[in-house]
Every structure is written in structure tokens, then in C-alpha cells.
Amino acid sequence: MEQSGKKITKDSIREHTRHRITEAFLDAPTETTQRERLRAYHIDLFILRNDTGRITGVTFIDHDNRCVLNGYRLGKEYSANALNERYPEKQEAG
């Protein structure tokens, strides 16, 4: 796991993945649209919700770079709180 963290930092994988996620976030009106756009970049979006439907965790899996990144690690705009504001209504997992 330590080697994975070093590889992500050394190879600028985080920045590359963040750039692709940012492009996919542009004008995505719904969570479903967001997931479809991310899939085009070979990135899966996993959202954890509590019993009330509030988003409590966000994880991005970049299959091209073979890395898993938590939303808050990518930046404040990719955190659970930011996605709660962006997509307030509960969506079906996809």
C-alpha cells in the first residue's frame, strides 16, 4: 500500500485523474449523467450513503491508471459534502 501511494504521487496519477474527473463534472446535471461521463474515461464512481440518503463517502476508481482515490483526497470540490450539495436527491446506485 505504501508503494501505491508513492506511485500515485511520483507519476502524477492523482493530477491526471483529477483532470479527467473535472472534465466529466462539467455541466453534469444529475448523478447518473456524472457516472456515465466518468465511465467514458474508464473511471467508476462509488458513493456511500447513510440511512437518510446523505452522501458520506466518495471514491473514484481509475481503471486506466489502476488506482483508487477518495474524493476528499482529490480536493474539496470532490468530497462527500460537495456532492451532497451538487446532487441533493438520492439516486439509484449504478
Side-chain angles (χ1 to χ4, degrees):
M1 190 156 142
E2 185 177 329
Q3 288 179 341
S4 177
K6 287 179 183 177
K7 183 177 190 278
I8 288 171
T9 303
K10 178 184 168 203
D11 296 343
S12 300
I13 290 172
R14 182 182 302 146
E15 296 305 316
H16 184 259
T17 301
R18 182 188 336 220
H19 177 71
R20 294 189 324 185
I21 292 169
T22 300
E23 286 180 4
F25 265 52
L26 294 175
D27 301 322
T30 66
E31 187 179 315
T32 303
T33 304
Q34 177 63 44
R35 287 178 190 278
E36 290 170 3
R37 289 181 180 180
L38 285 168
R39 283 189 189 122
Y41 289 111
H42 305 266
I43 298 173
D44 284 327
L45 170 63
F46 287 95
I47 295 179
L48 298 173
R49 296 182 187 271
N50 64 14
D51 294 339
T52 63
R54 180 166 175 76
I55 298 171
T56 58
V58 179
T59 303
F60 298 92
I61 300 176
D62 185 340
H63 296 284
D64 287 344
N65 291 314
R66 300 179 58 148
C67 69
V68 177
L69 297 164
N70 292 324
Y72 71 92
R73 294 274 185 168
L74 288 172
K76 190 168 115 175
E77 62 272 18
Y78 309 104
S79 69
N81 285 336
L83 264 63
N84 269 313
E85 292 175 15
R86 188 176 184 110
Y87 308 117
E89 64 279 342
K90 184 176 179 178
Q91 299 276 323
E92 290 298 317

